[in-house]
Amino acid sequence: MERPSVNIDRIEAARERIRGLARVTPVLTSPFLDEIAGRRVFVKAEPLQVTGSFKFRGALSALSVLAPGEGVLAYSSGNHAQGVAMAARLQGREAVIVMPADAPALKIANTRALGAEVVLYDRANGESREEIGDALAAERGLHLVRPFDDPEVIAGQGTVGLELAEQIPADVGGDVLVCCGGGGLTSGIALALEARRPDLRVRPVEPEGFDDTARSLRSGHRETNPRVSGSICDAILTPAPGELTFPILHRLAGPGLVVSDEEALRAMALAAIRLKLVTEPGGAVSLAAALFRRDEIRGDAVTVVVSGGNADPETLAHALTL
Amino acid sequence: MERPSVNIDRIEAARERIRGLARVTPVLTSPFLDEIAGRRVFVKAEPLQVTGSFKFRGALSALSVLAPGEGVLAYSSGNHAQGVAMAARLQGREAVIVMPADAPALKIANTRALGAEVVLYDRANGESREEIGDALAAERGLHLVRPFDDPEVIAGQGTVGLELAEQIPADVGGDVLVCCGGGGLTSGIALALEARRPDLRVRPVEPEGFDDTARSLRSGHRETNPRVSGSICDAILTPAPGELTFPILHRLAGPGLVVSDEEALRAMALAAIRLKLVTEPGGAVSLAAALFRRDEIRGDAVTVVVSGGNADPETLAHALTL
């Protein structure tokens, strides 16, 4: 079966479907961050999106093309879970979410509070969320909403790129740093900017030890990570780039950037103090790269997509007192 | 000399002067906050304003009517200081700021980093910032920008009300809770809503022990606070309602609400976790009232103006671990 492709028309159609329910998030700036980064920094604040991350865009985009009343299933470390749960709630659909037992407690609790049924699995011991998810979806007749390898999910995340194309001043070109797990957000933004702002180039940012996308972009093939847990950046720990997302990234994005967990925590603290924005570690790696990898970035301005803010309170408090 | 009055035309004129430099801040919501409050909660997020509080609006409004090159002086516990410093920097003006020595370290450091000269005074021992400010302004030929008793400052703060009139859904009436110190923000919003959304009523919120406005609204006269320090809500500790602001509040706003310091801290934690928004104690008293004084509020929805986010990192970390 031929895979449906994602293009700018599909992203524009997704924007129409999610309009009025997903927020157009603001772009924030601070002279204090500009000074650390050595250039102007424009921060797209997706923690302010409904459910606290960009994932609501893709979830709502994907659910909006299903038949009325059709139930959904998703596997997720937490942000896709909340996005799907909220989108399902708005549309009156049943939602079952398969989550790793070591996901942040807040994400599990939020997903349940939004009305979804949560099924936990053990990520560290090698249980496969794909197998659990596929089996449950078949057994209960639910539509599986993949976290990134779904054209309507990628199109929904691409609406971040449409907004950036309008929000970033016309005289600002250069790098757009995007937190990257499976590549749904990164590839969606890359497609939108290819059509609307070809002067901006997307560069994925990953945590140390989980740089599958950076290595894949170098080798030209989908590389895997040796581990699937062990970083505080839980939101973006994926085994490998997606089947649909990687060809897009290979054509349009890179090179990748890599930051440490400690740099992600320091970026969280600076986002809180300088932008008044709460971020989670995986959502702040892009800002960490802008602030602490300045020699690897081109141009006199940089755009940063901060992707989520669902940090446990203890993690945020820890970052603030480093 | 007759005092110039503030009206809707003056607020609209201020909006034109600050357009493109001040941000139109978003209104945020969370189903989790709605549940605690027992009604829908709409949060106007002024921590996302330039310099981290609404004060930039009034400062830029006031400085924009001065002669080019005229220097300015302000006294402030920190947020007005940063607003004036940033507005002066954007317009190439000299800025001198008189600040209490016990203001949060971050606010003093930020004000200096924005290029202003900072003069410290001892608030607890009764030194008068007005006297210090008046003397310095006269001596150095600087224009004094009062923190609230200035028509162009009130007009600038009133732009929050113009935005709310457009952002709050037309079917949502009821109370608008506003953090209140001297009353510049509260009176400006009240004037804007009187003209644009008379279905919304402004109610000032203050910390326990510093409820001069609530008491003044009850008595019909400007009452004073017994103390001028001793709450963590440093941003809104003023001796009494303003000379210009109180008649506006008396005509259009109230009754006042009062919350404890601990409730302000709990509201800070909930704003961070549920809205991904960093607030400071004095900026969160309005949210605290919405969440913890539900029986004193009318209607099935409430609008909350969260006024600032310049908390010291330690204070925010403390709130998150309560």
Side-chain angles (χ1 to χ4, degrees):
Chain A
M1 185 183 91
E2 200 186 333
R3 286 280 200 171
S5 68
V6 192
N7 57 32
I8 187 69
D9 295 336
R10 202 157 195 152
I11 299 173
E12 290 282 10
R15 172 150 70 170
E16 291 312 311
R17 288 199 303 277
I18 72 177
R19 193 185 293 277
L21 292 170
R23 290 190 194 125
V24 175
T25 52
V27 169
L28 306 176
T29 58
S30 160
F32 298 99
L33 296 186
D34 293 354
E35 193 174 323
I36 298 171
R39 49 173 64 84
R40 285 185 297 164
V41 182
F42 297 88
V43 178
K44 179 71 167 166
E46 283 297 292
L48 301 176
Q49 188 51 266
V50 176
T51 71
S53 90
F54 72 96
K55 289 283 191 179
F56 178 69
R57 298 174 185 261
L60 189 60
S61 165
L63 266 62
S64 300
V65 298
L66 300 182
E70 191 172 0
V72 294
L73 180 140
Y75 41 81
S76 163
S77 67
N79 284 337
H80 181 55
Q82 291 177 77
V84 170
M86 178 63 109
R89 179 166 118 157
L90 290 174
Q91 300 186 343
R93 301 178 188 277
E94 178 189 7
V96 177
I97 315 284
V98 179
M99 298 183 74
D102 65 336
L106 184 72
K107 292 181 179 177
I108 296 175
N110 286 354
T111 306
R112 288 198 170 117
L114 291 172
E117 178 187 340
V118 173
V119 177
L120 298 176
Y121 76 100
D122 189 344
R123 173 156 58 177
N125 285 0
E127 284 192 70
S128 157
R129 63 183 191 174
E130 286 81 0
E131 282 171 24
I132 298 171
D134 288 348
L136 259 177
E139 185 186 313
R140 298 179 50 174
L142 300 170
H143 177 88
L144 175 65
V145 186
R146 294 180 197 279
F148 45 84
D149 259 341
D150 176 319
E152 299 303 359
V153 169
I154 296 172
Q157 322 304 29
T159 61
V160 173
L162 293 181
E163 292 171 18
L164 280 177
E166 292 158 10
Q167 291 172 315
I168 301 300
D171 66 330
V172 171
D175 290 346
V176 177
L177 311 185
V178 184
C179 307
C180 189
L185 178 64
T186 317
S187 62
I189 293 174
L191 286 168
L193 294 180
E194 178 194 26
R196 298 282 179 261
R197 282 292 294 269
D199 56 317
L200 296 172
R201 181 173 179 88
V202 164
R203 300 185 59 188
V205 185
E206 294 165 295
E208 276 175 11
F210 300 87
D211 59 343
D212 49 298
T213 299
R215 287 183 288 108
S216 301
L217 288 172
R218 279 199 298 271
S219 74
H221 304 282
R222 292 165 66 209
E223 308 285 346
T224 57
N225 290 320
R227 298 174 297 158
V228 289
S229 68
S231 160
I232 57 168
C233 300
D234 61 278
I236 56 174
L237 305 187
T238 42
E243 207 177 311
L244 282 184
T245 57
F246 182 65
I248 301 167
L249 296 179
H250 190 229
R251 185 166 68 81
L252 295 174
L257 293 152
V258 179
V259 302
S260 69
D261 278 6
E262 199 206 314
E263 288 169 326
L265 286 171
R266 286 167 58 203
M268 281 179 71
L270 286 161
I273 300 308
R274 296 308 180 188
L275 301 174
K276 317 306 170 193
L277 182 67
V278 171
T279 58
E280 59 185 287
V285 295
S286 52
L287 181 60
L291 298 176
F292 309 126
R293 292 286 183 275
R294 48 195 280 182
D295 293 345
E296 299 174 40
I297 294 168
R298 298 160 299 191
D300 59 0
V302 64
T303 301
V304 170
V305 179
V306 168
S307 56
N310 290 311
D312 270 335
E314 299 73 21
T315 304
L316 178 57
H318 171 60
L320 287 165
T321 48
L322 274 185
Chain B
M1 184 183 92
E2 198 185 336
R3 285 281 201 168
S5 70
V6 192
N7 56 31
I8 188 68
D9 295 335
R10 202 158 194 152
I11 299 173
E12 290 282 9
R15 172 149 74 170
E16 291 312 310
R17 289 200 303 276
I18 72 177
R19 193 185 292 278
L21 292 170
R23 290 189 194 124
V24 175
T25 52
V27 169
L28 305 176
T29 59
S30 159
F32 299 99
L33 296 186
D34 293 354
E35 195 174 323
I36 299 171
R39 49 174 62 85
R40 285 184 296 163
V41 182
F42 297 88
V43 177
K44 179 72 166 163
E46 284 296 293
L48 301 176
Q49 188 51 265
V50 177
T51 71
S53 90
F54 72 96
K55 290 283 191 180
F56 178 68
R57 298 174 185 261
L60 189 60
S61 166
L63 266 62
S64 299
V65 298
L66 299 182
E70 190 171 2
V72 294
L73 180 139
Y75 41 81
S76 163
S77 67
N79 284 336
H80 181 55
Q82 292 177 75
V84 170
M86 177 63 109
R89 180 167 118 156
L90 290 174
Q91 300 185 345
R93 301 179 189 277
E94 177 188 9
V96 177
I97 315 284
V98 179
M99 298 182 74
D102 64 338
L106 183 71
K107 292 180 178 177
I108 296 174
N110 286 353
T111 305
R112 288 198 170 118
L114 291 172
E117 177 187 342
V118 173
V119 178
L120 298 176
Y121 77 100
D122 190 344
R123 172 155 60 176
N125 285 1
E127 285 192 71
S128 159
R129 64 183 189 176
E130 286 79 1
E131 282 171 25
I132 298 172
D134 288 348
L136 259 177
E139 183 186 315
R140 296 180 51 174
L142 300 170
H143 177 88
L144 175 66
V145 186
R146 294 181 196 280
F148 46 85
D149 260 341
D150 176 320
E152 300 302 359
V153 169
I154 296 171
Q157 322 305 28
T159 61
V160 174
L162 293 182
E163 293 171 17
L164 279 177
E166 292 159 9
Q167 291 172 315
I168 301 300
D171 66 331
V172 171
D175 290 346
V176 177
L177 311 185
V178 184
C179 307
C180 188
L185 178 64
T186 316
S187 63
I189 293 175
L191 286 169
L193 295 180
E194 177 194 26
R196 298 283 180 259
R197 282 293 294 271
D199 56 318
L200 296 171
R201 181 172 179 90
V202 165
R203 300 184 60 188
V205 185
E206 295 165 296
E208 277 176 11
F210 301 87
D211 59 343
D212 49 299
T213 299
R215 288 184 286 108
S216 301
L217 288 172
R218 279 198 298 271
S219 75
H221 305 282
R222 293 166 64 208
E223 309 285 347
T224 58
N225 290 319
R227 299 174 296 160
V228 292
S229 68
S231 160
I232 56 168
C233 300
D234 61 278
I236 55 174
L237 305 187
T238 42
E243 207 178 311
L244 281 184
T245 57
F246 182 65
I248 301 167
L249 295 179
H250 191 230
R251 184 166 68 81
L252 296 173
L257 293 152
V258 178
V259 301
S260 69
D261 278 5
E262 200 205 313
E263 287 169 327
L265 286 171
R266 286 166 58 204
M268 282 179 70
L270 286 161
I273 300 308
R274 296 308 180 188
L275 300 174
K276 318 307 170 192
L277 182 67
V278 171
T279 57
E280 59 186 286
V285 295
S286 53
L287 181 60
L291 298 176
F292 309 127
R293 291 287 183 274
R294 47 195 281 183
D295 293 346
E296 299 175 39
I297 295 169
R298 299 159 299 191
D300 58 0
V302 64
T303 301
V304 170
V305 178
V306 168
S307 55
N310 290 312
D312 270 335
E314 298 73 21
T315 304
L316 178 58
H318 171 60
L320 287 165
T321 47
L322 274 185

